[in-house]
Amino acid sequence: MVRLNEIRAGEVAVDLPPATDAGLIFIGTIRTPWTDRLACPRQGRLDGPLCRLEIAEPFAPALAGLEQYAEVEVLYWLDRSRRDLVLQSPRHDGSARGAFSLRSPVRPNPIGTARARLVGIEGATVLVQGLDCLDGTPLIDLKPDRCAFTPLAPPQPGDFETGPA
Ligand code: SAM
């Protein structure tokens, strides 16, 4: 896993295909205490420093109801990451693992996810603990933690389908 966009022994970069516009909309900006990748936690912790999710103006009404959850899932765009390393060497020892077997920020689509503790909501700002991203990281989405969420819409057939044991 690269820390400062370097390539290490054993790592492999590929030519990326042209980007497809998936129509991603950043819904806000994440404010954290970290401005240096080397100082960031590698994974957030629920008792970590307070961080702020500043929701962009048109999306503030989308926060309605979120306050009833103690934990939320946060998705963010690790915007300062390189995206082309398919093999990475987290230990810097020449041994490498595939990007999809790591939680490295370096991946074709640098999406980060974290389960965070919801501390409060102040207007269009959500206060959370549990993040591990740089100050200014774009916010992609926010949802109730899946373990605490029960679907509100009526069931549909796929809900009851099972597969091989
Ligand atoms: N919790 C997320 C996950 O598992 O999907 C991200 C984990 S990733 C290992 C966290 C690391 O990404 C941080 O330690 C920091 O080095 C790096 N990072 C954080 N914010 C970043 C950003 N905006 N752009 C690039 N790298 C970032």
Side-chain angles (χ1 to χ4, degrees):
M1 173 168 69
V2 295
R3 301 293 287 165
L4 292 171
N5 291 338
E6 76 279 20
I7 296 191
R8 300 177 185 148
E11 294 189 327
V12 172
V14 294
D15 290 331
L16 291 172
T20 304
D21 181 3
L24 212 59
I25 294 168
F26 294 144
I27 58 158
T29 302
I30 305 182
R31 295 292 168 202
T32 74
W34 305 290
T35 53
D36 176 354
R37 266 188 273 191
L38 302 183
C40 247
R42 291 183 197 274
Q43 284 297 336
R45 42 189 295 167
L46 293 179
D47 63 352
L50 198 61
C51 298
R52 300 162 63 85
L53 310 177
E54 294 177 353
I55 307 300
E57 164 53 32
F59 304 114
L63 294 174
L66 190 70
E67 69 287 346
Q68 62 193 280
Y69 296 96
E71 289 178 7
V72 293
E73 218 170 292
V74 186
L75 281 79
Y76 36 103
W77 189 257
L78 297 158
D79 59 337
R80 281 150 267 185
S81 243
R82 61 183 299 159
R83 301 170 64 169
D84 59 347
L85 294 189
V86 289
L87 290 181
Q88 301 176 30
S89 181
R91 296 200 178 97
H92 301 228
D93 61 359
S95 70
R97 283 181 63 163
F100 302 145
S101 73
L102 297 167
R103 294 201 69 101
S104 159
V106 176
R107 44 207 323 115
N109 293 307
I111 295 171
T113 68
R115 186 168 147 242
R117 188 166 90 81
L118 179 60
V119 176
I121 301 179
E122 296 173 352
T125 299
V126 182
L127 306 175
V128 296
Q129 289 172 282
L131 297 185
D132 51 22
C133 61
L134 293 169
D135 187 48
T137 295
L139 180 63
I140 300 175
D141 205 356
L142 188 56
K143 338 185 178 201
D145 180 63
R146 76 193 64 197
C147 298
F149 185 77
T150 308
L152 304 177
Q156 48 196 17
D159 295 339
F160 306 101
E161 286 174 20
T162 56

